[in-house]
Each structure stands twice: as structure tokens, then as C-alpha cells.
Amino acid sequence: MPRWQLLIRLAFTGVAFSCHDANADLFHYNNLLIGPRAAGLAGAYTALSEDTSGLFYNPGGMSLQNTSELSASVNTFYMKKNRFERVFGEKAFEESARGNLSSFFGFSKKVTPPLLGTLHLGIAFVNPDAALSDENTLIENEPAPGVIRYHRTANIRSGTSQFLFGVSKRLGKETGLGCTGSYLDVDELEQIYQDVVQGPYIYTDRPDTKIYTTLGQNVRMHLVARGGAVRCGIRTALGSSFKLGLSYQKAEIVLQRFEYDSEINKVFHDPNGQIITVENAANESLKGKLLRNVTRTTQDDFITRWPDEFRLGVAFQPHSSLLLSADLVRHGDGEGSISAVKRSEIFNAAVGLEWTLAQTLFWRTGFFTNSDATASRDLSSPYQRKEYIDYKGVSLSTGLKLRTGEYALHYTEQRGTGKAEKIVGNTDASSGRLQVLSISASQSFQ
């Protein structure tokens, strides 16, 4: 096979860009910890849930509040970096994202309707994941075979949010039962441009001329999924020191839209940048100065099953100033006709510790996992997302607990490792780091 024909094949296969699966973060469930108190306990909150954030973790616990409550968390700093090793030779590049957003806002109130006794009603806005990524990567003079220059720019906006409304009723002194209905909204928009310069190659008809190619790809992807979810849960006490919580959520997607636009352009040129015409190609479609491929896909109803969620939590309070909690969470599998929504069953865990000094100053810390739910670890599968990173995180929180409210400062950090295929056929190590700094306030009132 002539060298220039091999070049063409490499340009459209071997050095094709694996960005069609770069959807922001549908595959991780714990990017932002939800709830003022729960965030400090690393999300180990199913056996507690005694505030408005119980709408998200376990609505059965919300009825065990003694007062009504208004609470909110605001993430003042959000930064995520993923590093992909040896993309070209020894060179790596990073993807980064930042954001400032409200991860939780909620209100709950005690009411006493006729015949039903005392109930707790709650409404909340939850934002478990949102980021804005703006990247500009340039790799030059890399001694990888045939690669002269690599350039990638990306603008990615992603967000997952829920509006929740729930009701909870106390059954006895230490048991609560409740359910939450929610509106679920997922919106991800990605615009990515990449180009790579390769060469030199010797063209059969021009043995004295070094031939280079520039392959450019412009991709726009937009995924929208909207639907509803129902979560029901129970929280009870086992003796004076132990608490147990269970909750289950099931979601259904009713509106789906996936748009994919891709344009690939390939130009042959000499060392001075002059475009060279390909005259003798075995494939007629490859003749000329410019090779161009345009793809546009619009798809509805591509989700057949959205992952459900089961939470089991325990809490132990050996002393009035010390609390230990733990959660085990099962996320079900997700099915659909595109890799962006195919997810495997995954388990995550969290443990938390709370220590209160003089009934006013508190310290909270915890450890949690945030495993990647990518459908398979076989990146060579044609229907497989081409990267995964499994995170482990820690949470730290401190603040004041007053008679009518609580005010806190929170910090979480996650680090993880995995694999990625940024260039088709090359699987390399990847790593990630996610940091979040937030403040929260909760106010109780009669």
C-alpha cells in the first residue's frame, strides 16, 4: 500500500479523536454532596435525614424534626481536573471545569390537616452536578510517530438538577415514613474542536516532497433528558443509640433529545503549508485537495431504563457529643441506544463522624466513594464510553450549632484513577481531582 494511502487510513482511524463519548458526568453520582449537615458526613445520611435534605436522602427522616426549617448550601468554589497520560508519546493533557452554584435549597414546615395528624411538608432544589469546562490544549514538537502538533479546544456545559416535593409522617416516637416526588432535568452541551498535524510522509508521485496532513474535527453534542422520580423511605431507631434508614428511588424519563453534529476536514500540504492535490488514489473519494465528512444525527427515545437507587444507612451515637454514620448505596444499571446513557450497576459507600464541643462548635468529617458507572471496563467495545475514573473522597466541615440554626463551612476533595482512550487504539492511564468549597445555613422556626 502506498505511504500516502496508509496516512489517510491513519488519519480517519488511528488518530481519530475519541470525543463522541465525552459527556460531562452522567457516570458519577457523588460529585457534589447534598445538604448542609450531610455534606460534612460525606453523604452518610440515610439513617439521619432529620432536616429538609431528607427529601433527597430519605424522606422518612424529615418528620422527626421538631420545628420547621429553611436551609441552603452554596458552592463558592468548584474545580475539577482530569489528567490523561501519554496521549502523544510522553505528553499528557488536562481537562478542567469550574463552577459556582447552589447545590441545595430547601424549606420544610409542620402542618396539621384534618384526620391526618401532624405532617411535615418539604420542597427543595437539588443540584448534584453542574460544571462549565473551558479548555485549550496545545501539544507541539512531540516525538510520537507521525504527530507534529495537536490542538484541542472545548466548551462543555453540564447540569443535573431536581425539584423535590415531599411529605413525611411520624409513626411513634422514633419512626418516620415519607415519600418525595421530583422533577428531574439533565442538560449537557459540548462543543469541541480538535486538529492534528501529521507527517512527514512520502507521496508516490512526489518522492522528493515531504507530505503533511492536517486533520480537523468539529463536534457539537447536546443531550437533554427530563422526567420524574419518586423516592420513599423509612427511618427508625433500634434502641437508644442506633438508627436505621432505608430509601428507594425510581425515575422515568419522558422527554429525550440527543443531537450530534460532526465535521471532519483533512488537508494535504507541503512543509510550507501549500495545499497539495492527491491525483492517484485507489479510492475515488480520496482524490483532491480536501477530504470532508459531515455527520448529523438527531435521536429521540434513546433511554430505555434510567438507573434506580437503593440506600441503606445506619447511625450510632455512643455519646451526646459523638455520632457515627454509614451508608451503602446501590445504583442500578442504565440502558439506552447510545453509550452516553449506558451504565452498569454500581455500589458506593460513605462513613461519617460528627463531634460537638460545648453543644455549639461542631466538627464533621467523612470518607466516601464515587465509582464510575461506565457500562464496561472494556474500552475496545464499539458501544463503550472511552474513559472511566473511580474516585475516593474526604469531607471536612466545621461551624456553629445555635438554638435556632446552624452555620457551616465545608470542603470536599476527591481523587481517582482509571483508563482513557483519547486517541483511538491507545489506552492510557487517567487521573482526576475534584475540589469543592461551600458554605451553608439552616434556620429553624416554629
Side-chain angles (χ1 to χ4, degrees):
M1 176 185 295
R3 190 69 177 276
W4 69 267
Q5 291 187 31
L6 176 61
L7 164 64
I8 294 172
R9 294 186 59 180
L10 285 173
F12 282 102
T13 57
V15 193
F17 309 113
S18 182
C19 68
H20 59 279
D21 51 24
N23 293 277
D25 218 347
L26 286 172
F27 300 90
H28 291 92
Y29 296 100
N30 294 325
N31 295 322
L32 298 176
L33 299 179
I34 301 301
R37 189 182 182 195
L41 295 170
Y45 207 56
T46 305
L48 300 170
S49 299
E50 298 168 353
D51 56 27
T52 310
S53 61
L55 291 166
F56 180 79
Y57 292 96
N58 180 3
M62 188 174 63
S63 65
L64 301 177
Q65 298 178 96
N66 294 318
T67 61
S68 299
E69 182 190 67
L70 178 67
S71 60
S73 299
V74 178
N75 296 322
T76 59
F77 174 78
Y78 171 101
M79 183 174 70
K80 180 178 181 181
K81 285 188 176 182
N82 287 347
R83 180 179 175 86
F84 304 94
E85 304 291 344
R86 301 172 61 87
V87 175
F88 290 111
E90 299 297 324
K91 293 292 183 68
F93 71 86
E94 291 185 342
E95 295 177 348
S96 62
R98 295 175 180 267
N100 296 304
L101 66 155
S102 172
S103 60
F104 176 81
F105 178 84
F107 172 77
S108 63
K109 182 174 177 57
K110 288 197 302 183
V111 298
T112 309
L115 304 178
L116 296 178
T118 300
L119 301 177
H120 258 87
L121 302 181
I123 186 170
F125 168 78
V126 174
N127 202 330
D129 190 30
L132 175 63
S133 177
D134 187 9
E135 304 161 26
N136 188 12
T137 298
L138 177 63
I139 298 177
E140 295 181 302
N141 302 318
E142 170 54 41
V147 177
I148 306 300
R149 174 183 181 271
Y150 171 73
H151 183 217
R152 180 178 190 266
T153 63
N155 185 277
I156 302 173
R157 171 183 58 79
S158 65
T160 300
S161 59
Q162 281 184 276
F163 293 91
L164 307 105
F165 175 81
V167 58
S168 181
K169 181 173 179 58
R170 179 177 292 193
L171 305 175
K173 184 178 180 180
E174 291 292 341
T175 300
L177 179 68
C179 286
T180 297
S182 64
Y183 167 74
L184 174 66
D185 187 291
V186 178
D187 195 320
E188 300 195 351
L189 175 64
E190 302 183 8
Q191 294 176 302
I192 301 173
Y193 173 77
Q194 303 178 95
D195 66 69
V196 60
V197 179
Q198 296 173 267
Y201 298 94
I202 304 301
Y203 178 40
T204 306
D205 292 351
R206 302 183 184 184
D208 298 326
T209 303
K210 293 182 179 179
I211 306 299
Y212 296 84
T213 64
T214 297
L215 173 67
Q217 183 185 38
N218 193 21
V219 174
R220 178 188 182 275
M221 290 174 288
H222 190 199
L223 185 151
V224 174
R226 298 187 176 99
V230 175
R231 181 189 297 274
C232 292
I234 184 171
R235 208 227 68 174
T236 189
L238 303 176
S240 60
S241 301
F242 285 92
K243 298 175 182 178
L244 174 68
L246 299 168
S247 71
Y248 177 76
Q249 177 178 272
K250 178 67 175 177
E252 292 291 338
I253 304 300
V254 296
L255 186 151
Q256 310 169 39
R257 186 74 170 177
F258 180 70
E259 299 173 352
Y260 178 84
D261 294 274
S262 172
E263 180 179 342
I264 298 177
N265 294 295
K266 179 176 174 57
V267 177
F268 300 85
H269 55 88
D270 64 19
N272 297 320
Q274 296 297 317
I275 296 177
I276 296 175
T277 301
V278 177
E279 298 175 349
N280 297 315
N283 188 338
E284 291 291 327
S285 65
L286 300 183
K287 289 184 178 180
K289 300 179 180 180
L290 172 67
L291 307 179
R292 185 168 183 262
N293 181 276
V294 178
T295 302
R296 182 166 192 183
T297 301
T298 300
Q299 190 171 355
D300 297 320
D301 301 325
F302 53 89
I303 300 172
T304 56
R305 181 167 64 247
W306 195 259
D308 59 355
E309 181 184 283
F310 176 79
R311 306 184 69 96
L312 169 64
V314 295
F316 174 56
Q317 191 164 15
H319 188 271
S320 60
S321 64
L322 186 64
L323 173 70
L324 303 172
S325 63
D327 269 22
L328 178 65
V329 186
R330 171 201 168 271
H331 308 278
D333 58 345
E335 290 294 335
S337 58
I338 61 176
S339 62
V341 296
K342 289 180 177 291
R343 286 183 277 179
S344 64
E345 179 185 57
I346 199 76
F347 287 85
N348 280 308
V351 293
L353 168 67
E354 180 181 80
W355 182 31
T356 305
L357 301 176
Q359 299 182 339
T360 301
L361 177 65
F362 63 82
W363 297 86
R364 296 174 185 141
T365 187
F367 170 83
F368 62 100
T369 64
N370 191 12
S371 298
D372 198 309
T374 188
S376 168
R377 301 305 166 100
D378 179 15
L379 301 186
S380 63
S381 170
Y383 302 106
Q384 173 59 35
R385 177 175 177 254
K386 300 302 182 182
E387 65 181 72
Y388 64 86
I389 297 178
D390 293 325
Y391 290 95
K392 294 180 176 63
V394 295
S395 65
L396 298 170
S397 177
T398 186
L400 296 176
K401 183 184 295 185
L402 306 178
R403 184 176 61 86
T404 59
E406 179 181 296
Y407 310 92
L409 176 67
H410 312 271
Y411 176 76
T412 62
E413 179 166 333
Q414 302 183 44
R415 298 193 181 193
T417 58
K419 296 289 185 179
E421 186 182 276
K422 288 300 179 183
I423 302 300
V424 172
N426 296 337
T427 301
D428 298 302
S430 61
S431 61
R433 183 182 183 186
L434 173 60
Q435 299 169 282
V436 180
L437 179 67
S438 61
I439 57 176
S440 68
S442 300
Q443 184 69 36
S444 300
F445 53 92
Q446 297 297 329

